[in-house]
Amino acid sequence: QVQLVESGGGSVQAGGSLKLSCEASRYPFNTYCMGWFRQSPGQEREGVASIETDGTTAYAESVKGRFTISRDSAKKTLYLQMNDLKPEDTAMYFCAGPVPPSTYCPGGVSFPFRDRGQGTQVTVAS
């Protein structure tokens, strides 16, 4: 059974930082593009960032310059470093992989996904 497990969320003041992690097991992590999404109540789900297996990244305009996505193939872990957090970044963040047989993220950050984690909550106070 595929497992994608996020961690690292929490509550911070505006301007603070958090680093999210997504650990993959029983999943072809090193073959697939991976991405981070977020969703808050009453809001549409938003693609935040994606990273291909060759390291090519894409970001939503709202997070460019503040968030950095990375991946560690040895640890099979995806990361999202979030700096200069704003109240509008408050959301449940989850990682996801593309719909097979695709191994890349078509369309950049808002790619169709199949497997996803349960998510980790990020709350930013003003």
Side-chain angles (χ1 to χ4, degrees):
Q1 182 179 354
V2 169
Q3 278 196 319
L4 296 170
V5 180
E6 301 91 343
S7 62
S11 297
V12 296
Q13 293 292 115
S17 297
L18 285 172
K19 186 173 185 177
L20 306 184
S21 299
C22 167
E23 187 172 351
S25 59
R26 294 182 287 280
Y27 187 74
F29 179 86
N30 293 335
T31 303
Y32 284 175
C33 174
M34 296 293 296
W36 287 97
F37 293 79
R38 66 186 181 187
Q39 188 160 23
S40 53
Q43 301 293 320
E44 287 193 9
R45 185 179 62 222
E46 178 185 15
V48 175
S50 64
I51 182 167
E52 301 285 352
T53 55
D54 66 358
T56 300
T57 58
Y59 295 93
E61 285 296 324
S62 59
V63 306
K64 275 185 180 177
R66 301 188 297 122
F67 291 11
T68 303
I69 189 172
S70 61
R71 62 193 299 161
D72 185 325
S73 58
K75 295 181 178 179
K76 298 185 71 176
T77 301
L78 181 71
Y79 302 101
L80 186 69
Q81 176 68 49
M82 306 186 295
N83 298 328
D84 190 23
L85 282 160
K86 303 177 180 182
E88 51 263 44
D89 295 319
T90 295
M92 180 70 75
Y93 286 72
F94 64 91
C95 61
V99 179
S102 178
T103 59
Y104 67 101
C105 296
V109 298
S110 296
F111 62 91
F113 61 84
R114 184 188 72 179
D115 300 300
R116 56 161 288 180
Q118 291 297 311
T120 185
Q121 177 68 36
V122 172
T123 302
V124 185
S126 57

